[in-house]
Amino acid sequence: IEKINNVKRFFIVTHKTIYNHYSEILLSQLNNYTVVPIFIDEGETSKSLSCLSDILDTLFQNKVERSDCIIGFGGGVIGDLAGFAASICLRGLRLIHIPTTLLAQVDSAIGGKTGINHSAGKNLIGTFYQPECIIIDPNVLKTLNKEEMRSGFAEIIKYGVIRDRDLFNILKDNKSILNTFNSQENSEIWDLIIKKSCQNKVDVVSEDEKEAGIRAILNFGHTIGHAFEAMFGNYDFRHGECVALGMICATNIASQINIIDPNQATEIYTLILDYGFKCNLPEIDTKKFYQKLALDKKIIHGQYRFILPTSIGKVVIDNSITHSQIDKSINFLKKIISN
C-alpha cells in the first residue's frame, strides 16, 4: 500500500466483521497515515443509492481531498461500492482493492467495473474505474464458509470453459481436493487456480477494458444467471450459484444449435455439478423472468447476447437466441440439478 505515493489519508470502505478480523494488521502497516473506516452493512442490499450517499457523506464530512485514497476492503459488494464512490467523488479519487472473498479475488476486483443495483435490476448504475493496485492474499479466505467459497468457484470454472482448457483440466483432475473448498489445505493448488483465474481476467480486460468486444466472453453464464439472481428471493441466491446455473443453460443452448460436441457439453455439466451446484430452483414466473432478462446490460438492439461454448476453452458470442431455446435450456436445467 505504501507504494502509492503522496497519499494523505486512507478511507477504508468495509464491513465491521472484516475490520475486526484484520484491522490490527492493516493499521500497523498504515501507522504513518490517517485512516478513516467507513462501515456498511453486509449483503447485496447495500449496493444502493442510499448506501452510496452515506459513503459520500462521510467523505465530505471529513473534507476529502484528491490526495486521499479509498481502500475497498471486502467482497464484491464492497469493491463495487468503494470503486463507484472513488470514481465519482471529486471526479476521481485513487483506489485500492483488497478483496476478501474468492469471488472478488478472481473476478469482481479485477477489471474496473463498479456499480450499484436498481429496483429494475442488478448493476444497472455504475462506471468503469481502474484501481491503482489490487492486493490478493489467499490466507484471508480461511474465514469464509463453504457456500461462499463455492460461489466464487463458479467464476473459476467459467475461465476454464471460456479460454483455459488447462485450468478446466486442473479442476477436473483435482475435484477430490478442491471440492472441500478449504483453501488452507493444499494451498499450492489453490494459489495456482486463483493466479490462473486472475491472469485470464487481466488478459481479457487489457484487450477490451469497456466491453466493446472480447470482454463480453466474461459474461458466460451471466445472461440467465443475472436474471435468476434478480428474481429469486431478493438476492437470496448467491451470485456464483446463479452463474453456475446460467452456465448450464448456456451450454445447453449451444447443444441445441449444434455448435458443441455433446461429450464436451456433458463434461461441462458434470464439472459444475461435481462441485455441488445443485439447488431447489424456485418456480419461475416466465413473464417476470423475461422482464429481468430484458433489463440486462448485455442486450444489443433488443437481442439477447449469449456467450456459448463451442468446445472447452473456446466460446462465441451469439445474439440470435430465441425464447424457445431459452425455455428449453431452463427445463433442461431443472431436470439435471434435481437428479
Side-chain angles (χ1 to χ4, degrees), residues 93-146:
L93 296 176
R94 282 177 287 182
L95 172 68
I96 294 171
H97 283 311
I98 307 178
T100 61
T101 65
L102 182 61
L103 180 63
Q105 289 189 354
V106 301
D107 185 57
S108 62
I110 303 167
K113 281 187 177 180
T114 79
I116 57 176
N117 301 326
H118 187 273
S119 58
K122 182 178 169 68
N123 293 330
L124 294 181
I125 306 167
T127 56
F128 288 95
Y129 194 72
Q130 297 295 345
E132 296 227 356
C133 72
I134 305 164
I135 301 168
I136 294 175
D137 181 357
N139 287 320
V140 302
L141 302 177
K142 66 187 177 185
T143 60
L144 300 185
N145 61 37
K146 187 174 182 178

Side-chain angles (χ1 to χ4, degrees), residues 66 76 87 109 113 132 138 153 178 181 183-184 191 221 238 240 245 261 338:
R66 282 190 172 152
S87 73
K113 281 187 177 180
E132 296 227 356
F153 205 86
L178 294 171
F181 299 106
S183 60
Q184 305 309 296
D191 289 352
R238 285 177 169 83
L245 301 181
D261 180 276
S338 63

Side-chain angles (χ1 to χ4, degrees), residues 60-307:
F60 296 136
Q61 287 163 8
N62 284 274
K63 297 181 173 57
V64 62
E65 300 177 5
R66 282 190 172 152
S67 59
D68 297 329
C69 179
I70 289 179
I71 296 176
F73 187 35
V77 170
I78 290 287
D80 284 357
L81 264 173
F84 194 18
S87 73
I88 60 176
C89 184
L90 305 183
R91 297 197 174 97
L93 296 176
R94 282 177 287 182
L95 172 68
I96 294 171
H97 283 311
I98 307 178
T100 61
T101 65
L102 182 61
L103 180 63
Q105 289 189 354
V106 301
D107 185 57
S108 62
I110 303 167
K113 281 187 177 180
T114 79
I116 57 176
N117 301 326
H118 187 273
S119 58
K122 182 178 169 68
N123 293 330
L124 294 181
I125 306 167
T127 56
F128 288 95
Y129 194 72
Q130 297 295 345
E132 296 227 356
C133 72
I134 305 164
I135 301 168
I136 294 175
D137 181 357
N139 287 320
V140 302
L141 302 177
K142 66 187 177 185
T143 60
L144 300 185
N145 61 37
K146 187 174 182 178
E147 289 73 26
E148 190 63 41
M149 287 290 288
R150 183 188 290 116
S151 179
F153 205 86
E155 299 287 354
I156 297 177
I157 293 173
K158 177 190 77 177
Y159 295 121
V161 176
I162 66 172
R163 68 189 312 271
D164 193 340
R165 177 77 207 223
D166 179 54
L167 174 58
F168 188 95
N169 289 339
I170 291 170
L171 303 181
K172 186 177 174 181
D173 295 340
N174 293 278
K175 283 182 291 194
S176 61
I177 293 172
L178 294 171
N179 68 10
T180 63
F181 299 106
N182 185 343
S183 60
Q184 305 309 296
E185 295 178 357
N186 302 290
S187 59
E188 287 186 7
I189 193 165
W190 278 96
D191 289 352
L192 174 64
I193 64 173
I194 291 170
K195 185 175 181 179
K196 284 180 75 66
S197 298
C198 291
Q199 192 62 59
N200 275 295
K201 179 87 181 257
V202 167
D203 289 346
V204 171
V205 172
S206 297
E207 191 173 335
D208 175 22
E209 181 184 5
K210 297 191 175 178
E211 209 166 293
I214 190 176
R215 183 168 178 164
I217 70 171
L218 297 171
N219 293 321
F220 173 56
H222 287 63
T223 304
I224 288 177
H226 273 172
F228 283 165
E229 196 171 355
M231 282 181 63
F232 296 153
N234 193 24
Y235 304 107
D236 283 345
F237 276 62
R238 285 177 169 83
H239 173 74
E241 292 170 331
C242 293
V243 167
L245 301 181
M247 289 192 289
I248 290 173
C249 289
T251 303
N252 177 258
I253 290 170
S255 290
Q256 289 181 47
I257 61 176
N258 298 312
I259 62 171
I260 186 170
D261 180 276
N263 292 327
Q264 293 216 8
T266 298
E267 273 193 81
I268 295 170
Y269 304 141
T270 301
L271 187 72
I272 293 169
L273 296 177
D274 280 349
Y275 279 99
F277 289 102
K278 289 188 174 186
C279 59
N280 294 318
L281 207 60
E283 192 63 36
I284 295 173
D285 181 328
T286 303
K287 183 179 178 182
K288 185 179 178 183
F289 172 78
Y290 282 108
Q291 285 174 343
K292 295 298 183 184
L293 202 63
L295 284 165
D296 196 280
K297 301 181 300 304
K298 297 174 281 297
I299 296 286
I300 303 292
H301 304 305
Q303 295 292 313
Y304 305 118
R305 181 168 59 174
F306 274 83
I307 312 305

